[in-house]
Amino acid sequence: MANDHILTLSCPDKPGIVHAVTGIFAREGHNILDLQQFSDPTSEKFFMRVHFGPTPTESTEHLRPAFDALATEYQMTYDIRPVAQKPRVLIMVSKIGHCLNDLLFRAKTGQLPIEIPLIVSNHPDFAPLAASYGIEFHHLPVTAATKADQESRVLELIKQHGIELVVLARYMQVLSPKLCEAMSGRIINIHHSFLPSFKGAKPYHQAYDRGVKIIGATAHFVTADLDEGPIIEQRVARVDHSMSPKELVDEGSNIESQVLAAAVKWYAERRVFLNGNKTVVF
């Protein structure tokens, strides 16, 4: 996929968008390898993802004038990225490490197209794991009194390392509205329940108390409203009356790892679009 690129765009829906976009590629002699589109009749927005290439060089500057003009005409936001360009990801974690371990392994083995330059935790437990992968580890304890300073340091690290995406891999702290706003649409959390059921702490114990027959996990974008952000992916597993809270936790851990990895992969592949309080995932 040398010199292949991904175009993503969204705009108010109207006739002629597909014709206009594909016409640019035709005029420039670029092949469309894959195209996905969706028109939302409720929000009246249009979304498109185009995998195209190869281009003569890695540069796509020759496409900018045409797409800038199109963006003005259609009130469009667009982005063009090389397929080979991996987003730089900051992982934040507390004391439960299965999602962190899974993401590190998938990134190391090429299953996840991301770079992980650093890990931040409010506990020191996973410093050895980070070191085993050669990844910078920052222990940033947090209390109610130090939360603002701690998050300011997180924002400094994000800027310093050119972080595009923050992944909360069981980071058991509620982010402030300031941090949520600064990284709006660029923080993914894994919640250990099938939202909107069982929000907040100990959802598996809540599920046990209610005698549910399925448990699940939800990957969603983070907003200032706890566990209310746009959902990216959800999966479930069947359980029964014989299972203890610990067995529910063990079963749920596997689902959490799978769901979070899927959400991060789709984000890295430019497949996830925000659509109000929902998402479009190609």
Side-chain angles (χ1 to χ4, degrees), residues 48 66 68 98 124 127-128 147 151 168 194:
M48 179 184 278
D68 286 346
H98 57 275
K147 188 179 187 70
E151 289 194 347
L168 308 184
F194 191 74

Side-chain angles (χ1 to χ4, degrees), residues 163-174:
I163 298 299
E164 177 180 341
L165 176 68
V166 175
V167 175
L168 308 184
R170 296 299 301 271
Y171 181 67
M172 308 306 288
Q173 295 287 322
V174 178

